[in-house]
Amino acid sequence: MPVPVPVPMKGLHFRPEIITPKAQGSKREERRRMGSFMSSFFGGGGEADPDEEGSSHVQAFHSFARWQLHLNSLSQTPQLMVVDFAASWCGPCKLMEPTVHSLASKFPGVSFAKIDVDELSDVAREFGVQAMPTFVLMKKGKEIARVVGAKKQELESLVQRHHTAS
Amino acid sequence: MAASGFEGFEKRLELRFSWHYPARDWLGLRRIEFHHLERVLALVQCTVVSAVGNGFFDAYVLSESSMFVYPTRVIIKTCGTTQLLRSVCPFILLAADLGLTICSCRYTRGSFMFPELQPFPHGSFKDEVSYLEDRLPAALSDRKSSVLRSNNMAHHCWHVFTATGCARLGYVTGDGSYTIEVCMTELDRASAGRFYPTGIMEGCSISKAMTRATGIGDINPRALICDFAFEPCGYSMNGIDGDRYSTIHVTPEEGFSYASYECNGSVHDAKDEITWVLRKVAQVFGPGSMSVSITGVSQEVWARIGGSLEALALKCCDRSDDEFPGAGTVIFRTFTRMTRSETTTGGYNGW
């Protein structure tokens, strides 16, 4: 299968200043207000905060150094790695979160890594990420497949096909 | 046409907002939490099946068509027997909570194949307009509803309602941006047949195989395509290209076959862009009947398209134009497949 060539990132205007502790705090407050507001509209009970952390089978990388270390260590092995390029503000990324966590639990032999495109924008650029979520499947340091968009069945079938070490 | 079947004709709603806080943020409506969007879609009676986002907007493929969320604009298009207008109030409230006020609304649709199957208020355009009139804030005081008709009773009409409250909307009129909405019926059987799954190609999903086999990817080669194939047949796709969207939905079954194409663009694009797109769309689907509605371009721009569809044996039957507040000119044209004698005698040139 031909390996897609990463293209320069275009049309993606990531704003690093959005990811600040203050922004996160105000986002939680905003969510709480919107939650109770919408509950009154829909007539439901109190709106619980959606669980953002999820399973610990997905490893999030927040520094370039740690990411490089992980990438280098896996490039020596035939283990499949799935890299999830996402952003905290990305709606389509939220759609895929439960699927990613469930795949990570189902395939413990596969390494699932999460990269925030604002935190590690250089890594996102290097991989030619133009839209989100983008899932890059890698073995021995090389990209073997990629899924752009929240496509549950496509990602699952690719992981199923490539998860055995070979 | 069959006595009953799946309603391919969509209802389309576009809501535009402006900031009422002095501080703005570049995300706007894209900050609406995904689980809130899911609840709004539940009211409309549809779900998200696939999605993708870039720096400009988020594009969702729905179980019945599509939704696009820009910072200050949301477009939602649903088919079947969905209750699209139930999304109006929740979107106004969700936007208000982010500091955004609604400043214009546009609702459009063709004519339903099976109108008797539609839930309230979609059983009649009069009820739909009434529903919107009651729910839009009084500040959107400039309102108009109109039906652009075809002389041929067999063809569908184009229903348009707009409401606006903004004195100046550079992005609605005068800035050169347009929207094209194409509705096609009586798809030729060979074209429709490509939207039935024929087994999984190795290394490729069914939807990707359909996109490739039909040439849909060639309509805008720059676009990133998020496609989805339905069981037992049917297809949807959203294309994203910078801040431009395109979307296709196909119901291939004989007796009620239908396909739609929609995109946005700018008159400042390449001159032949609209022509190229319409020709390619007609080639992909081979419709027996096709309507084109363009919002936001002048008649002079339309005139440049000329007889481009004639070369594909589609003759222009009717034309109807009107002006709408907050939307500008809406141009509506219907085309039908020429008979053999019409193609050999040079066809119809009613532009």
Side-chain angles (χ1 to χ4, degrees), chain A residues 71-83:
Chain A
L71 193 60
N72 291 341
S73 70
L74 278 188
S75 66
Q76 312 300 321
T77 78
Q79 186 184 13
L80 174 66
M81 174 166 63
V82 178
V83 190

Side-chain angles (χ1 to χ4, degrees), chain A residues 72-162:
Chain A
N72 291 341
S73 70
L74 278 188
S75 66
Q76 312 300 321
T77 78
Q79 186 184 13
L80 174 66
M81 174 166 63
V82 178
V83 190
D84 173 5
F85 288 94
S88 58
W89 43 263
C90 167
C93 300
K94 296 280 183 290
L95 169 66
M96 275 303 273
E97 267 172 24
T99 299
V100 175
H101 288 307
S102 135
L103 285 176
S105 297
K106 191 175 169 188
F107 297 96
V110 176
S111 164
F112 281 82
K114 185 161 182 175
I115 302 239
D116 182 306
V117 297
D118 291 305
E119 275 188 333
L120 296 179
S121 51
D122 287 343
V123 178
R125 202 170 288 114
E126 185 192 321
F127 277 83
V129 174
Q130 291 190 302
M132 292 174 296
T134 288
F135 300 93
V136 178
L137 282 75
M138 299 185 72
K139 263 190 181 175
K140 293 185 185 155
K142 291 207 168 4
E143 177 177 335
I144 57 167
R146 146 182 321 224
V147 178
V148 182
K151 298 180 178 182
K152 299 179 184 183
Q153 277 176 329
E154 199 173 320
L155 181 64
E156 172 141 21
S157 71
L158 280 172
V159 173
Q160 179 74 48
R161 195 181 315 146
H162 296 289

Side-chain angles (χ1 to χ4, degrees), chain A residues 1 10-15 18 23 27 30-31 33-39 41-45 47-50 52 89-96 118 130-133 146-154 158 161, chain B residues 21 25-27 30-40 43 48-56 58-60 86 89-90 93-94 96-98 201-205 207-208 222 224-229 240-242:
Chain A
M1 181 174 182
K10 194 176 73 146
L12 267 170
H13 298 171
F14 300 139
R15 295 274 293 274
I18 285 173
K27 196 164 182 291
E30 183 185 288
R31 193 164 61 233
R33 282 188 296 115
M34 199 180 290
S36 55
F37 189 65
M38 290 308 298
S39 291
F41 183 88
F42 289 114
E47 191 83 9
D49 271 352
E52 279 194 319
W89 43 263
C90 167
C93 300
K94 296 280 183 290
L95 169 66
M96 275 303 273
D118 291 305
Q130 291 190 302
M132 292 174 296
R146 146 182 321 224
V147 178
V148 182
K151 298 180 178 182
K152 299 179 184 183
Q153 277 176 329
E154 199 173 320
L158 280 172
R161 195 181 315 146
Chain B
Y21 290 162
D25 88 88
W26 69 291
L27 282 173
R30 299 176 74 188
R31 279 204 184 282
I32 297 175
E33 296 274 354
F34 180 66
H35 66 106
H36 286 311
L37 289 178
E38 283 188 301
R39 293 189 76 175
V40 176
L43 287 178
V48 175
V49 300
S50 192
V52 74
N54 67 7
F56 295 97
D58 297 318
Y60 296 89
R86 293 183 75 189
C89 289
L93 293 168
L94 285 165
D97 214 44
L98 294 170
M201 279 169 57
E202 185 56 43
C204 185
S205 67
S207 60
K208 257 207 188 67
R222 295 182 310 265
L224 189 146
I225 290 179
C226 187
D227 43 34
F228 192 87
I240 66 173
D241 172 17

Side-chain angles (χ1 to χ4, degrees), chain B residues 2-249:
Chain B
S4 76
F6 186 78
E7 182 64 67
F9 273 95
E10 297 103 340
K11 310 154 180 107
R12 181 190 186 277
L13 181 71
E14 179 169 336
L15 302 173
R16 295 190 182 227
F17 298 83
S18 58
W19 292 97
H20 67 249
Y21 290 162
R24 287 136 207 238
D25 88 88
W26 69 291
L27 282 173
L29 297 170
R30 299 176 74 188
R31 279 204 184 282
I32 297 175
E33 296 274 354
F34 180 66
H35 66 106
H36 286 311
L37 289 178
E38 283 188 301
R39 293 189 76 175
V40 176
L41 293 175
L43 287 178
V44 173
Q45 292 163 335
C46 59
T47 56
V48 175
V49 300
S50 192
V52 74
N54 67 7
F56 295 97
F57 68 107
D58 297 318
Y60 296 89
V61 179
L62 308 177
S63 52
E64 344 262 323
S65 300
S66 289
M67 178 170 69
F68 304 98
V69 183
Y70 286 79
T72 56
R73 184 164 55 124
V74 62
I75 296 163
I76 171 167
K77 184 166 173 155
T78 61
C79 56
T81 51
T82 48
Q83 296 178 279
L84 178 60
L85 297 184
R86 293 183 75 189
S87 65
V88 172
C89 289
F91 272 126
I92 292 176
L93 293 168
L94 285 165
D97 214 44
L98 294 170
L100 287 155
T101 314
I102 184 167
C103 66
S104 89
C105 167
R106 182 164 106 219
Y107 177 68
T108 53
R109 66 167 173 85
S111 304
F112 296 123
M113 289 190 217
F114 312 108
E116 67 284 357
L117 298 178
Q118 290 293 322
F120 178 85
H122 299 292
S124 80
F125 186 53
K126 187 159 164 284
D127 284 343
E128 288 168 318
V129 170
S130 224
Y131 188 98
L132 282 164
E133 298 261 21
D134 288 345
R135 281 152 186 80
L136 291 173
L140 269 60
S141 53
D142 203 359
R143 303 178 180 193
K144 179 170 174 176
S145 64
S146 182
V147 182
L148 305 180
R149 294 191 184 280
S150 169
N151 290 331
N152 185 335
M153 293 303 288
H155 294 153
H156 66 263
C157 310
W158 194 246
H159 304 76
V160 184
F161 167 86
T162 71
T164 189
C166 305
R168 175 207 60 78
L169 284 173
Y171 56 81
V172 176
T173 55
D175 74 341
S177 64
Y178 64 75
T179 308
I180 299 181
E181 294 171 72
V182 181
C183 304
M184 294 165 281
T185 56
E186 299 162 63
L187 310 183
D188 84 45
R189 287 288 92 208
S191 305
R194 296 190 188 102
F195 296 101
Y196 286 79
T198 51
I200 299 172
M201 279 169 57
E202 185 56 43
C204 185
S205 67
I206 293 174
S207 60
K208 257 207 188 67
M210 287 181 182
T211 300
R212 213 174 282 166
T214 55
I216 280 173
D218 300 329
I219 297 173
N220 178 2
R222 295 182 310 265
L224 189 146
I225 290 179
C226 187
D227 43 34
F228 192 87
F230 291 90
E231 293 280 345
C233 61
Y235 170 93
S236 283
M237 83 72 151
N238 288 337
I240 66 173
D241 172 17
D243 65 345
R244 307 285 173 85
Y245 73 88
S246 55
T247 185
I248 288 176
H249 302 282

Side-chain angles (χ1 to χ4, degrees), chain B residues 260-335:
Chain B
S260 67
Y261 174 85
E262 178 181 332
C263 73
N264 62 345
S266 166
V267 296
H268 306 300
D269 291 341
K271 248 188 189 161
D272 301 324
E273 186 93 6
I274 300 179
T275 309
W276 160 261
V277 162
L278 290 176
R279 282 178 60 102
K280 205 76 192 99
V281 167
Q283 272 173 342
V284 168
F285 294 103
S289 175
M290 172 167 164
S291 77
V292 180
S293 168
I294 304 188
T295 305
V297 300
S298 64
Q299 299 219 7
E300 289 73 31
V301 172
W302 176 263
R304 287 209 299 266
I305 299 170
S308 61
L309 293 177
E310 211 178 285
L312 297 171
L314 282 164
K315 69 175 186 191
C316 182
C317 298
D318 293 293
R319 63 189 73 193
S320 190
D321 308 332
D322 205 348
E323 295 285 324
F324 289 86
T329 311
V330 174
I331 293 173
F332 180 62
R333 300 282 184 274
T334 57
F335 302 84

